Amino acid sequence: MHKYWHFIDTPFTTDGTTLPPIPTPNAQERIALFRTVLASTSADGLKSYDLTWLLHLVGDVHQPLHASTRVSSTDPDGDAGGNLVKLDCTKCELHAFWDGLLGTQNNLKTVTKAARKLPKADAALAAKSDEKDWIKESFDQSQQTVYTAPIAAGDGSFTLTPQYKKNAGKLAKQRVALAGARLANLLNTELK
């Protein structure tokens, strides 16, 4: 499962609380390692294992809450990428809302149909090949889009507005399209 590989809790605060260090292992250092292995002469078995994880983690770091944690006097170690922020539904938290924005279907036909509706990735952004840039973008989006009204200080519970949901859906589609384009570029580069 490698629980800590799926995210990088880059901390930020709005109330002046001291920021904790970024824990390792994390998605950023794992992506860098896996890219190195793919480009190496390592055994195919290791490359296969690392490729599987790379496919997953590149997608993960494009979700803003996989690249940030909000630190506050309430949550001095951070809100675990929005997992501690409650929404006004049973068993709902902010992170789960963002993870599920594009659906949770595993049906190939449904997923393919949804993928065809994604916006085309911005070519200039898609050309960025450094995972640090991808994570920085997600981190910035967490502050610009995720932790905005009606999400306020504290752990909630908060009621999401239709406008918040619309903005979130638009950003999620842009980020997943960008993740796909970047992953394709990465594979073309690392697997020459």
Side-chain angles (χ1 to χ4, degrees):
M1 296 271 309
H2 302 292
K3 179 180 173 183
Y4 299 103
W5 290 9
H6 298 266
F7 58 90
I8 176 167
D9 273 349
T10 308
F12 74 95
T13 186
T14 56
D15 70 3
T17 300
T18 301
L19 299 178
I22 297 173
T24 55
N26 60 53
Q28 181 176 307
E29 60 92 18
R30 292 285 95 186
I31 290 171
L33 173 66
F34 297 152
R35 290 176 80 161
T36 302
V37 171
L38 286 184
S40 75
T41 58
S42 294
D44 286 347
L46 179 59
K47 285 184 174 185
S48 173
Y49 180 83
D50 288 3
L51 175 60
T52 302
W53 273 104
L54 192 60
L55 296 172
H56 184 96
L57 297 180
V58 169
D60 276 350
V61 299
H62 282 80
Q63 200 270 59
L65 289 170
H66 280 257
S68 63
T69 188
R70 181 174 65 175
V71 174
S72 65
S73 58
T74 307
D75 296 312
D77 293 323
D79 67 3
N83 281 298
L84 301 179
V85 179
K86 304 298 180 230
L87 303 179
D88 66 347
C89 49
T90 306
K91 295 184 180 180
C92 290
E93 78 274 334
L94 188 61
H95 190 101
F97 168 78
W98 278 86
D99 272 351
L101 273 168
L102 300 179
T104 57
Q105 291 289 324
N106 289 327
N107 177 289
L108 182 59
K109 186 176 179 179
T110 304
V111 171
T112 302
K113 185 178 176 183
R116 287 188 180 121
K117 293 181 180 179
L118 290 173
K120 185 174 170 101
D122 177 282
L125 291 175
K128 289 186 174 185
S129 62
D130 190 331
E131 64 274 358
K132 292 178 195 130
D133 292 335
W134 310 341
I135 291 164
K136 174 75 166 86
E137 290 168 2
S138 288
F139 175 75
D140 291 344
Q141 285 297 333
S142 72
Q143 293 170 78
Q144 295 166 10
T145 305
V146 177
Y147 290 101
T148 60
I151 305 301
D155 291 336
S157 125
F158 303 106
T159 302
L160 299 181
T161 63
Q163 187 62 50
Y164 183 95
K165 292 176 183 178
K166 180 180 176 182
N167 293 343
K170 182 179 178 182
L171 178 62
K173 288 175 183 173
Q174 291 169 348
R175 297 297 294 162
V176 78
L178 198 52
R182 286 173 169 166
L183 182 59
N185 291 340
L186 181 150
L187 294 176
N188 286 332
T189 301
E190 306 297 349
L191 294 175
K192 285 183 183 178

